[in-house]
Amino acid sequence: MLRLVLLTATASAVVRRYSELGGRPFQMSRDARSLRIDGERVLLLSGSIHYPRSTPAMWPQLFAEARANGLNAIESYVFWNVHSDARDGQYDYAGFKNVSEFLRLAAEADLFVLWRFGPYVCAEWPDGGVPTWVKDVPGMQERSNNTAWLNETQKWMTAHFQEIERFLPRNGGNVISSQLENEYSGSGDAATAYVDALGAMANATAPDIVWIMCGFVSTVWDGALHAGNGCPHDLGAGHLDPTAASGDPAWFSEDELWFDGWGLPSLARPAVDVAYGTASYVATGGDMHNYYMWHGGNHYGNWSLDASDGLEGPSSSENTVRYAN
């Protein structure tokens, strides 16, 4: 089904895979129907593969299987606390933290990448990816229009995008999108000021990619594409596009279910339901569809999570990393 959806995009002015760009720098834009690369439309079928929930030895096979199953993109959050354990400006990119190798192998496998920066990412990950030392910064108020928080976010964003510079569109790279915040629930003037401050950072750091904000939220930076998360798989893009009148295309950043709880019935969906939902979404106007998760993976180096870390779900007693998709 995924191959069929991509093969329907046969017009000459359609980009179907990263390799068609030939490694050249390119420009991105969007209209109400789709993302455009150098003016040509692109349909993105993506799956979430979080780099710290797998290992470098696994990445080539994961990417090869994604391509073999019809995906032309993958998605991952960026996990700040994986790379930073002290307020010293030093970042660890060794082993499963090697984002440059992750992105290089994705490009080698002919995959675009949706690189969800944050700085807060949730992701059912300790502290939503925010380092523990951040709490000790004087005057800190996380996820707000707070000088201390914005200063630390700016340092992290600048350093991280320098790390992945060669993978950006201006250098012919495969990272075409990133994300500000995650399902941000703030409202009012202070919340607007906060997302606008993040947007200004994004514009200064990587203006050549598409920045999104995800979830059915009320406060979105004007420059961001408002993407939808959720579980209604067969209701079409009109149901999932939270800003249908904005002139932006419909992006489904997380087609998901919740965790399987140990000892409880499985939440896994039949393949026919998944296929029908994807086809329905694209047929009714969807431009990007991301399976969350494509590869659930594992936790390494004591990065496990329990309910005390703020995990929200149907049952506070659930503690598992196995995804239903």
Side-chain angles (χ1 to χ4, degrees), residues 52-302:
R53 286 177 163 139
S54 50
T55 67
M58 298 166 64
W59 296 340
Q61 181 178 352
L62 291 174
F63 297 157
E65 290 178 352
R67 283 293 297 127
N69 281 279
L71 300 189
N72 64 353
I74 58 165
E75 174 273 341
S76 180
Y77 284 115
V78 181
F79 298 80
W80 185 3
N81 58 8
V82 164
H83 303 287
S84 176
D85 60 8
R87 192 187 180 194
D88 57 5
Q90 302 299 310
Y91 300 99
D92 183 0
Y93 288 105
F96 67 81
K97 308 170 188 180
N98 190 342
V99 298
S100 293
E101 181 68 358
F102 183 87
L103 296 173
R104 185 191 71 80
L105 289 170
E108 192 175 272
D110 207 5
L111 292 162
F112 290 110
V113 177
L114 314 176
W115 198 240
R116 299 168 75 181
F117 172 77
Y120 173 85
V121 299
C122 186
E124 290 68 57
W125 189 266
D127 295 314
V130 178
T132 55
W133 59 259
V134 169
K135 296 177 173 58
D136 297 326
V137 175
M140 177 61 64
Q141 295 180 27
E142 296 179 26
R143 305 183 71 191
S144 70
N145 190 40
N146 166 264
T147 299
W149 172 251
L150 293 175
N151 284 345
E152 297 303 330
T153 296
Q154 178 69 80
K155 293 174 189 176
W156 165 229
M157 181 183 285
T158 299
H160 183 73
F161 276 85
Q162 287 174 349
E163 180 72 20
I164 67 166
E165 170 68 26
R166 66 190 174 106
F167 300 102
L168 299 179
R170 57 184 175 246
N171 296 308
N174 56 335
V175 174
I176 59 174
S177 175
S178 192
Q179 178 175 297
L180 296 174
E181 260 290 340
N182 190 81
E183 299 176 342
Y184 179 62
S185 60
S187 61
D189 291 344
T192 299
Y194 171 47
V195 300
D196 286 350
L198 291 180
M201 291 183 200
N203 259 343
T205 303
D208 49 334
I209 63 177
V210 172
W211 288 88
I212 73 169
M213 293 188 71
C214 76
F216 298 102
V217 297
S218 59
T219 305
V220 179
W221 171 47
D222 285 345
L225 189 160
H226 190 178
N229 296 350
C231 304
H233 316 289
D234 59 356
L235 299 180
H239 177 81
L240 290 162
D241 180 8
T243 53
S246 71
D248 276 338
W251 274 34
F252 197 175
S253 45
E254 294 182 14
D255 183 357
E256 62 194 16
L257 283 182
W258 197 242
F259 301 104
D260 272 5
W262 295 115
L264 298 177
S266 175
L267 297 174
R269 292 150 54 194
V272 65
D273 174 63
V274 177
Y276 180 80
T278 304
S280 172
Y281 177 72
V282 172
T284 55
D287 177 52
M288 190 282 286
H289 179 280
N290 180 62
Y291 294 99
Y292 194 94
M293 299 282 296
W294 184 263
H295 171 74
N298 204 347
H299 285 164
Y300 302 90
N302 293 324

Side-chain angles (χ1 to χ4, degrees), residues 127 305-311 316 318:
D127 295 314
L305 178 73
D306 63 24
S308 64
D309 290 296
L311 176 64
S316 62
E318 292 181 4

